[in-house]
Amino acid sequence: MKSATPILAQALLAASTTAFTACPASSSRAAQPQRTRPLHATLTADELNSMSRSEQLKVLGVEESKLALGIDPDEVLEFVGTRDDLVTKFTADIADLSSTDVEKEVDKFLMDGEMLDMYIKYNQRIAEDPSWKPEYAEQGGGSWTETAGTLVTAGIYLVGGILLKDAFDAWRNGGGGGEEVAAVAAAVDAAGSGGAL
């Protein structure tokens, strides 16, 4: 079975567009968002700053070795939530997974630094501007690629048609055009039987 982590991350991104509102600024950070939905452990930036890393990991619900390198637990708590929050969100988004599969996928997500960082940055962007919507790349690549694809296809059909026409003409004419091949084959046979070229 393929990993469902990319599917789950995409579902998380889609489901979290309205998850934040602005809250008052803290002493060490600029204006920090606060979740509008209650989490199991809703923490303000001041509370996160007063906690040690080990306390933050304990609130998050993971060991330090189970969190991707380069990811701060305070950012995960602030913009994503606790491990239990992720389990709840994954269960709601993908109901087909069993509880053990959901927990495995949550653990994979927490270990995937790129996906977790992207999700944190996405939620930070939403917190800064709640009306922001991601811009997606245009599908299809535009008219130039369509034209090039059409020309390549036409060229393949043209060359294939010419080759088929030549093969058909040679077959219809009784193997015409093969005189040179027959002469070389006769020379090879003669050389093999002791004659010289």
Side-chain angles (χ1 to χ4, degrees):
M1 180 173 113
K2 290 187 176 181
S3 175
T5 302
I7 296 168
L8 294 171
Q10 189 175 21
L12 286 171
L13 289 174
S16 66
T17 57
T18 59
F20 299 97
T21 59
C23 71
S26 69
S27 60
S28 66
R29 296 181 187 198
Q32 296 293 324
Q34 184 178 9
R35 295 182 175 274
T36 56
R37 306 186 281 229
L39 297 174
H40 296 294
T42 304
L43 300 173
T44 64
D46 289 330
E47 291 173 323
L48 288 171
N49 287 335
S50 66
M51 298 173 86
S52 68
R53 182 175 174 88
S54 61
E55 290 172 334
Q56 291 172 353
L57 288 166
K58 190 174 185 179
V59 170
L60 181 59
V62 297
E63 300 170 9
E64 187 163 4
S65 63
K66 300 289 183 182
L67 185 63
L69 294 175
I71 301 295
D72 294 326
D74 63 331
E75 287 183 334
V76 176
L77 286 169
E78 190 172 350
F79 294 106
V80 177
T82 64
R83 182 181 182 280
D84 292 335
D85 295 331
L86 283 172
V87 168
T88 304
K89 191 177 283 191
F90 278 36
T91 303
D93 290 343
I94 303 176
D96 295 342
L97 292 177
S98 68
S99 61
T100 56
D101 288 339
V102 168
E103 289 185 11
K104 286 179 188 176
E105 293 303 323
V106 167
D107 290 338
K108 287 181 189 177
F109 182 71
L110 289 171
M111 286 296 294
D112 189 346
E114 291 178 18
M115 291 298 292
L116 194 55
D117 188 47
M118 180 180 70
Y119 189 51
I120 289 169
K121 287 180 178 167
Y122 175 82
N123 286 333
Q124 285 174 338
R125 181 74 184 259
I126 293 294
E128 293 169 3
D129 182 12
S131 63
W132 176 79
K133 298 286 182 203
E135 296 176 17
Y136 297 104
E138 182 179 319
Q139 296 292 328
S143 63
W144 185 88
T145 56
E146 292 172 9
T147 303
T150 302
L151 291 175
V152 167
T153 303
I156 290 170
Y157 279 113
L158 182 66
V159 170
I162 291 170
L163 291 173
L164 278 174
K165 179 197 168 289
D166 287 347
F168 178 74
D169 286 344
W171 173 77
R172 187 178 69 186
N173 294 332
E179 294 84 18
E180 297 89 16
V181 174
V184 171
V188 169
D189 285 340
S193 62
L197 284 177

